[in-house]
Amino acid sequence: MLTGPFLCHGVSWDRSGPSLALATPPGAPASLPLENLPAVFGFRLLGDRGARFCLGYSKVLGPKDRRSFPCPEQTTAERGYQCGPCFARDDFRFMHDVHRSGVAPPGLAAYLAQEHWLYVATFADGATKVGTASHRSKWSRLTEQGAVVARYVARADDGRIVRVLEDAATRHAGLPQAVRSAAKTAALARPRAPRDLDVLNAAAADGLRQLLAADVGIDGFETVEEQWDPPGSWEQVLTARASVYPLSFETGDHGGAVLALLGQTALIAVPEGRFLLNLALLRGRRVELGEFRSAPIAVQDELF
């Protein structure tokens, strides 16, 4: 198994399954598949365990091509997961305002020119958000976010139009555009019934389609009715009724057997039982991987 040290970029998904996206200190990419691991998945944080480090910056070359660069200074993050200079170099900094400003580098403009999708995603506790995905990331975007139920509600000609629709959904339907990773993991400890989540998601999606069918002041899109298909591993996590992993990553070693993943959350087994491990907390952290094991965990029997 890979050992490191590495800078962690989080969990990425494709049709082959989830992987932990990593980079070596010089910035070379590496990847650790997280399903069917032959040994214990373990890690410890390195250096200043409370620090989050810059993940570098990206240059967009076209609809399918981009290049990622490590932070030249290997410094801590100032905003999100970037230092100030890397944020200034990053083409994606234009992404969230391009539909208002019209400003984008040529490569990003080419990326935004492809068709995009508007979706409504519902998480394990019923929290529901609106979001967008390029055609290329139509499936993986929702998978990496850890939605439990989701529906696509519109297909837009380009990324500028879909962001206008997303803002309209927030402004007129009250749908937020983000849900915190910690809240998603906590929700998996006490998920609502699948039927309830589907009803909630369907109602939000239908309401948004009706809103978009009215005059939203923009052309170049059509409403659609299409349900997202989650990976098979979702069921094992949703039915585990596991608790959230209680130990802080900032001290000690951590590890166990990975049973399944849902989004950025791993269901792991340790001697005391099964727990939900929020791997999004590793993003921007320097880590060493290996057959590390968690310290004993105090387990309290539930009263009901």
Side-chain angles (χ1 to χ4, degrees), residues 189-256:
R190 295 290 184 273
R192 294 180 62 169
R195 173 61 181 166
D196 292 345
L197 295 175
D198 188 63
V199 168
L200 278 170
N201 184 261
D206 288 343
L208 185 50
R209 287 191 197 97
Q210 293 174 20
L211 170 67
L212 298 178
D215 184 11
V216 292
I218 191 171
D219 297 320
F221 75 94
E222 62 180 354
T223 58
V224 297
E225 295 189 19
E226 181 181 343
Q227 190 151 354
W228 166 75
D229 181 28
S233 62
W234 263 221
E235 183 67 19
Q236 186 174 353
V237 179
L238 289 168
T239 58
R241 298 291 172 170
S243 299
V244 176
Y245 184 74
L247 304 181
S248 170
F249 290 179
E250 296 180 10
T251 59
D253 298 343
H254 306 273

Side-chain angles (χ1 to χ4, degrees), residues 46 65 88 104 123 133 157 177 179 201 203 214 239 254 264 292 301:
L46 299 174
D65 299 316
F123 300 91
D157 290 348
Q177 297 180 13
V179 175
N201 184 261
T239 58
H254 306 273
Q264 303 286 311
F292 303 117
D301 292 334

Side-chain angles (χ1 to χ4, degrees), residues 12-19 33-36 139:
S12 62
W13 279 83
D14 58 27
R15 290 291 188 176
S16 66
S19 297
L34 289 170
E35 288 187 337
N36 303 314
W139 180 83

Side-chain angles (χ1 to χ4, degrees), residues 87-107:
F87 175 79
R89 297 183 184 104
D90 197 311
D91 284 351
F92 283 108
R93 75 185 187 278
F94 297 97
M95 178 78 81
H96 299 293
D97 196 51
V98 67
H99 57 296
R100 290 182 288 266
S101 69
V103 177

Side-chain angles (χ1 to χ4, degrees), residues 4-304:
F6 294 109
L7 179 60
C8 183
H9 286 245
V11 176
S12 62
W13 279 83
D14 58 27
R15 290 291 188 176
S16 66
S19 297
L20 196 63
L22 305 162
T24 65
S31 180
L32 175 68
L34 289 170
E35 288 187 337
N36 303 314
L37 285 173
V40 168
F41 167 68
F43 63 90
R44 59 165 62 125
L45 298 188
L46 299 174
D48 183 352
R49 293 184 171 220
R52 188 162 61 192
F53 291 87
C54 177
L55 295 181
Y57 61 98
S58 296
K59 292 295 182 184
V60 184
L61 307 178
K64 297 180 180 180
D65 299 316
R66 72 184 68 173
R67 288 189 64 190
S68 297
F69 298 88
C71 175
E73 303 300 325
Q74 300 283 297
T75 189
T76 52
E78 298 172 15
R79 53 165 75 201
Y81 296 95
Q82 292 175 301
C83 66
C86 283
F87 175 79
R89 297 183 184 104
D90 197 311
D91 284 351
F92 283 108
R93 75 185 187 278
F94 297 97
M95 178 78 81
H96 299 293
D97 196 51
V98 67
H99 57 296
R100 290 182 288 266
S101 69
V103 177
L108 182 61
Y111 168 84
L112 291 170
Q114 66 183 307
E115 72 176 3
H116 278 65
W117 297 83
L118 186 74
Y119 63 78
V120 173
T122 299
F123 300 91
D125 60 354
T128 299
K129 69 177 284 289
V130 65
T132 72
S134 69
H135 185 71
R136 187 184 182 195
S137 62
K138 181 181 177 184
W139 180 83
S140 61
R141 176 76 170 158
L142 282 160
T143 308
E144 289 174 357
Q145 290 198 0
V148 176
V149 185
R151 286 173 168 84
Y152 305 101
V153 296
R155 186 208 61 80
D157 290 348
D158 59 46
R160 181 185 63 85
I161 292 169
V162 83
R163 280 164 181 77
V164 173
L165 302 180
E166 183 183 35
D167 284 353
T170 299
R171 185 167 57 252
H172 299 298
L175 290 172
Q177 297 180 13
V179 175
R180 292 172 53 250
S181 68
K184 296 175 189 177
T185 298
L188 292 170
R190 295 290 184 273
R192 294 180 62 169
R195 173 61 181 166
D196 292 345
L197 295 175
D198 188 63
V199 168
L200 278 170
N201 184 261
D206 288 343
L208 185 50
R209 287 191 197 97
Q210 293 174 20
L211 170 67
L212 298 178
D215 184 11
V216 292
I218 191 171
D219 297 320
F221 75 94
E222 62 180 354
T223 58
V224 297
E225 295 189 19
E226 181 181 343
Q227 190 151 354
W228 166 75
D229 181 28
S233 62
W234 263 221
E235 183 67 19
Q236 186 174 353
V237 179
L238 289 168
T239 58
R241 298 291 172 170
S243 299
V244 176
Y245 184 74
L247 304 181
S248 170
F249 290 179
E250 296 180 10
T251 59
D253 298 343
H254 306 273
V258 175
L259 305 178
L261 273 91
L262 191 161
Q264 303 286 311
T265 300
L267 177 66
I268 67 165
V270 298
E272 295 80 10
R274 296 179 296 176
F275 293 90
L276 298 163
L277 192 68
N278 180 11
L279 295 179
L281 296 176
L282 291 181
R283 193 175 183 214
R285 304 299 183 97
R286 291 176 176 166
V287 300
E288 180 183 358
L289 304 179
E291 293 193 17
F292 303 117
R293 297 180 183 274
S294 300
I297 298 173
V299 178
Q300 181 178 359
D301 292 334
E302 294 192 14
L303 298 177
F304 303 98

